[in-house]
Amino acid sequence: MGNVDQLNTLQKKLNTNHLLTISDLTCDEITELIEEALVLKQEQKQGIPHPHLQGKTLGMIFEKSSTRTRVSFEVGMMQLGGHALFLSSKDIQLGRGETVSDTAQVLSRYVDGLMIRTFDHETIEEFAEHSSVPVINGLTDTHHPTQVLADLLTIYENKGPLKGLKLAYIGDGNNNMTHSLLQGAALTGMNMAVSSPDSFEPDNQIFKDASELAKQHEAILSFHSDPKEAVKEADVIVTDVWTSMGQEAEQETRKKHFQPYQINKQLAAYAKKDYLFLHCLPVHRGEEVTAEIIDGEHSVVFDEAENRLHAQKALLIKLMK
């Protein structure tokens, strides 16, 4: 058994590339992923096949429901020549009490990569610790790195180099989108302003760490109680739903807190005239954003949704090829 144990240990050492948060990447790696995604997007539009992951299999574990994450990863693997395997937590032994460690070790022997969409961020960290294949965070309550890669790609497509741009995030500051955007902005040299009601500020440690990272890339992260201050002269405005999955019991209370933070024509007037509006979807028109804004000329939300496919294909190639 000694040789087998040594082989397993070596395999784990050779497969330590995971994407659990945006800060697992460097600025150069984000740039490379954006450039690769643009090439893949162009090739797809031209009908040029790119089977970079021929014969590879991605296991996809879902503890939360999904539209864009499931479809983009599944279609992405197919277009790359591989296969994606949908695994609902209700249908595998994980849902019947098998440990995360055991599940990770077993699945690592079947598939070439794992994408997980779950609640607690600690769950995906435990998966990565015990997996001998790359693990990708498809969303946790704390981070959403694959969505933010698509957001950065979308901003780059429309605005060019990211360094020096200003991004304003308005709404629930203590959610996965805010945290991943803070890290993504810091790494790419974008200035980012967050505005949230009291008690809904970003996680203090994540904000502190991202601010230190921002200094290294000559960027500034800031927090404002007044959303007008955050949006002032912004190149990009981003928001998200006020009530995320698992918070449904708080919906009415949250509506009252967040109403002054709605993205509407009056608030958007403080941004630059050519600002972009992003939203990760699904959206509640009339709550976090008015229909006039999300369906208007500044909105790129459907390009953003499409770019989940292209950004994730670039990521899959980087981690699994």
Side-chain angles (χ1 to χ4, degrees):
M1 291 297 291
N3 290 338
V4 174
D5 291 338
Q6 289 175 7
L7 181 60
N8 289 339
T9 301
L10 177 61
Q11 186 180 22
K12 287 184 179 181
K13 288 180 179 177
L14 292 173
N15 293 279
T16 55
N17 291 327
H18 307 300
L19 183 74
L20 308 187
T21 71
I22 283 287
S23 60
D24 289 334
L25 300 169
T26 65
C27 178
D28 287 343
E29 286 175 324
I30 290 174
T31 300
E32 289 168 6
L33 286 169
I34 289 174
E35 291 173 349
E36 175 71 7
L38 289 172
V39 170
L40 293 167
K41 185 173 185 177
Q42 187 64 28
E43 288 179 347
Q44 181 191 322
K45 302 296 185 186
Q46 296 175 352
I48 300 172
H50 37 239
H52 298 288
L53 297 182
Q54 188 77 42
K56 300 280 188 179
T57 301
L58 176 72
M60 306 189 303
I61 298 176
F62 285 87
E63 291 191 310
K64 284 189 175 187
S65 58
S66 167
T67 299
R68 280 151 290 277
T69 298
R70 178 179 177 180
V71 175
S72 57
F73 271 108
E74 199 161 328
V75 172
M77 281 299 294
M78 179 185 68
Q79 291 180 355
L80 292 171
H83 178 73
L85 185 65
F86 175 78
L87 302 167
S88 167
S89 61
K90 298 176 182 178
D91 300 327
I92 60 177
Q93 296 300 328
L94 188 64
R96 299 180 61 229
E98 183 174 54
T99 65
V100 169
S101 169
D102 287 354
T103 302
Q105 291 183 73
V106 168
L107 291 179
S108 294
R109 295 171 181 241
Y110 296 146
V111 300
D112 303 287
L114 287 164
M115 188 284 298
I116 305 170
R117 186 175 171 93
T118 187
F119 292 89
D120 294 333
H121 193 72
E122 291 75 13
T123 300
I124 200 165
E125 290 179 328
E126 188 175 355
F127 253 99
E129 180 183 353
H130 296 282
S131 173
S132 58
V133 298
V135 173
I136 299 171
N137 179 0
L139 176 144
T140 65
D141 287 343
T142 314
H143 294 279
H144 199 354
T146 54
Q147 176 64 57
V148 169
L149 277 177
D151 291 359
L152 297 176
L153 169 60
T154 306
I155 297 168
Y156 181 86
E157 275 187 308
N158 288 273
K159 294 290 186 181
L162 303 176
K163 188 174 180 63
L165 296 177
K166 179 182 177 182
L167 184 151
Y169 180 91
I170 312 298
D172 186 358
N174 191 24
N175 78 354
N176 48 28
M177 281 303 301
T178 318
H179 296 153
S180 288
L181 280 168
L182 284 166
Q183 293 179 343
L187 280 164
T188 56
M190 281 197 296
N191 301 308
M192 179 170 168
V194 179
S195 184
S196 306
D198 291 341
S199 303
F200 295 95
E201 300 93 343
D203 177 89
N204 186 59
Q205 191 61 51
I206 292 175
F207 190 88
K208 181 179 178 181
D209 291 344
S211 296
E212 289 300 315
L213 196 58
K215 289 179 184 178
Q216 299 173 28
H217 296 277
E218 301 175 324
I220 298 173
L221 307 183
S222 59
F223 180 84
H224 307 267
S225 297
D226 184 350
K228 294 190 291 294
E229 283 299 315
V231 169
K232 189 175 181 180
E233 291 300 303
D235 297 284
V236 184
I237 301 175
V238 186
T239 193
D240 193 4
V241 293
W242 292 341
T243 306
S244 298
M245 285 179 282
Q247 300 172 336
E248 287 77 11
E250 307 170 19
Q251 186 167 358
E252 292 307 313
T253 302
R254 282 173 168 265
K255 279 185 182 180
K256 294 176 183 177
H257 281 291
F258 286 108
Q259 191 58 50
Y261 296 81
Q262 182 190 70
I263 308 300
N264 50 42
K265 187 176 181 180
Q266 292 72 31
L267 182 58
Y270 287 88
K272 289 183 178 177
K273 291 184 178 180
D274 61 346
Y275 78 90
L276 299 178
F277 175 74
L278 274 68
H279 190 306
C280 63
L281 304 180
V283 62
H284 297 143
R285 287 173 172 79
E287 288 190 14
E288 70 269 17
V289 60
T290 60
E292 178 180 34
I293 294 294
I294 195 167
D295 297 322
E297 61 179 339
H298 297 278
S299 176
V300 289
V301 297
F302 296 111
D303 292 336
E304 176 188 7
E306 178 190 342
N307 281 339
R308 287 292 301 275
L309 173 65
H310 310 300
Q312 285 162 188
K313 282 163 69 175
L315 178 65
L316 288 166
I317 293 169
K318 175 180 175 61
L319 297 181
M320 292 175 59
K321 188 173 181 180

